[in-house]
Amino acid sequence: MVIHVNGEQRELLNDIQTVSDLLNHFELADKKIIVELNANIVDSSQHEEITVQDGDRVELVHFVGGG
Amino acid sequence: MKERYSRQILFDGIGEEGQLKLQKKHVLIIGAGALGTGNAEILTRAGVGRITIVDRDYVEVSNLQRQQLYTERDANDRIPKAVAAQKRLREINPDIEVDGKIMDVTVEEIDRLVSNVDLIIDATDNFDIRFLINDVAQKYGVPWIYGGCVSSYGISFTVLPGETPCLNCLLETIPLGGATCDTVGVIAPAVQMVVAYQAAEAIKIFVEDFEAVRRKLVSFDLWKNEQSAIDVSRLKKEDCPSCGESPTYPYLSYENQTKTAVLCGRNTVQIRPPKKVNRDLNALVTQLEKQGGAIEQNPFLVSYHSENRRVVFFKDGRVLIHGMKDIVEAKKIYHQLLG
């Protein structure tokens, strides 16, 4: 499966099905994060239900404290 | 005078009118670390009329790789950042008013700091203070610009009271833990990128070109070559306690402050998060292991020993910092380790 993550094309294994799987894959699961899937923000309560498909455009923005 | 600013006066977005507006504006920069020094230098050179820059810390040699106003001498002499920054900024541009304040900003200080301020720039290193900034900005209707960076990653968002969602809408609770510059490092280009986003927004706000203000949450990773911008306007909550219809400004109240106390006779400072938390001790150990030092763990706590300093983290969120009575220094260590 090929999806676009933050503007970059990424080839992903097919066992990644949900937004949660995707966040685990990128080691972002424990972060405060805003997920946009094809220009729609996904509620954090739905990360385990919403699935990602080939060709999707995903934006992942996580909050960091440093400065 | 005109000569100094001629190149930005030539720029369409500013012009002579914009330059005059800049000269009448007052910015409060909270934090004089990497983001604070970068923003302060740009806004000083741009001719913003009055700059107040606040910091509780002193210059250390590990700051010099990215904190652009400081020299090796400042680090050797342990000069407070607010003092070293004020000196350098006044050298750069004597025509503006620069006020450096050595101060640990808590709920008492912030109320005084924001009076007569046109914009707050967040150049802090933790979310406790950001939630305080977020509430005080809503209370007085002052725009503020969030910025954060670690490793090669950075993020920024401009909060306009009454228009955009606020930090509380986006996050709902204060993030606990997470990577910090002291655990995973940071590269100067990531700092400068966030500074560029923040300072550009600041100038737009000062010249009152609100049409041009970026409404999206922006982030990037300079090492992975990624960038992202998300329209978060739909996340603005009508019932938000900070910016909603009946705001209570929860982070300006005592119950929601991170509490500190010097433990009598133990030469120890206790720091307690505002709410009880269930700290993931295994994740904490993984994070601490990256920094070296000795770590001991039992089901109730993690004890971390490094450089003559012992820090104990309890599962309920409390942290004991041994070997000191200085609350400001203890809070600094707390945020260095936990973000």
Side-chain angles (χ1 to χ4, degrees), chain A residues 5-8 10 26 28 30-36 39-44 58-67, chain B residues 34-35 123-127 130 146 148-150 153 155 171 173 175 217 219 224-232 234-235:
Chain A
V5 179
N6 296 348
E8 287 287 299
R10 303 279 181 196
F26 288 109
L28 292 167
D30 59 344
K31 301 248 167 43
K32 278 278 181 181
I33 192 160
I34 292 181
V35 179
E36 191 185 71
N40 291 308
I41 293 176
V42 181
D43 279 338
S44 52
V58 182
E59 304 288 327
L60 305 174
V61 175
H62 67 276
F63 287 80
V64 294
Chain B
L35 295 177
T124 68
D125 62 0
N126 67 82
F127 281 101
R130 288 193 178 97
Y146 160 60
C149 51
V150 288
Y153 180 86
I155 178 168
L171 286 172
T173 54
L217 174 69
S219 77
K224 295 180 185 161
N225 307 313
E226 292 178 354
Q227 51 193 327
S228 187
I230 296 184
D231 179 353
V232 289
R234 154 178 119 63
L235 295 178

Side-chain angles (χ1 to χ4, degrees), chain B residues 41-88:
Chain B
E41 179 161 350
I42 288 177
L43 298 178
T44 294
R45 290 184 189 275
V48 173
R50 192 171 161 206
I51 295 179
T52 302
I53 183 161
V54 188
D55 197 281
R56 62 184 176 191
D57 203 359
Y58 57 85
V59 182
E60 291 175 279
V61 75
S62 65
N63 303 149
L64 301 179
Q65 159 255 7
R66 66 196 183 285
Q67 302 188 15
Q68 67 190 64
L69 296 175
Y70 309 132
T71 63
E72 180 150 335
R73 181 153 192 185
D74 295 324
N76 290 341
D77 295 346
R78 293 193 174 82
I79 306 294
K81 290 182 178 181
V83 173
Q86 175 183 285
K87 177 169 173 286
R88 176 67 182 146

Side-chain angles (χ1 to χ4, degrees), chain B residues 9-10 38 63 137-138 144 162 173 181 185 199 226 262 289 319-320 322:
Chain B
I9 289 172
L10 277 171
N63 303 149
Q138 293 296 335
W144 74 281
T173 54
C181 302
E226 292 178 354
V262 181
E289 274 168 350
V319 177
L320 296 184
H322 295 289

Side-chain angles (χ1 to χ4, degrees), chain A residues 6-67:
Chain A
N6 296 348
E8 287 287 299
Q9 201 166 302
R10 303 279 181 196
E11 173 104 43
L12 296 173
L13 294 173
N14 284 334
D15 59 355
I16 292 177
Q17 293 179 344
T18 65
V19 170
S20 281
D21 295 340
L22 196 66
L23 296 181
N24 279 321
H25 176 76
F26 288 109
E27 297 181 349
L28 292 167
D30 59 344
K31 301 248 167 43
K32 278 278 181 181
I33 192 160
I34 292 181
V35 179
E36 191 185 71
L37 178 62
N38 301 323
N40 291 308
I41 293 176
V42 181
D43 279 338
S44 52
S45 61
Q46 294 187 303
H47 285 180
E48 288 186 22
E49 291 145 40
I50 303 273
T51 56
V52 286
Q53 321 280 342
D54 191 54
D56 277 351
R57 293 185 172 272
V58 182
E59 304 288 327
L60 305 174
V61 175
H62 67 276
F63 287 80
V64 294

Side-chain angles (χ1 to χ4, degrees), chain B residues 157-174:
Chain B
F157 183 66
T158 303
V159 178
L160 299 176
E163 284 190 46
T164 67
C166 75
L167 195 67
N168 205 351
C169 295
L170 301 185
L171 286 172
E172 293 176 330
T173 54
I174 296 183

Side-chain angles (χ1 to χ4, degrees), chain B residues 132-156:
Chain B
L132 201 57
I133 294 172
N134 188 60
D135 269 8
V136 88
Q138 293 296 335
K139 185 177 169 189
Y140 293 106
V142 181
W144 74 281
I145 307 172
Y146 160 60
C149 51
V150 288
S151 60
S152 52
Y153 180 86
I155 178 168
S156 183

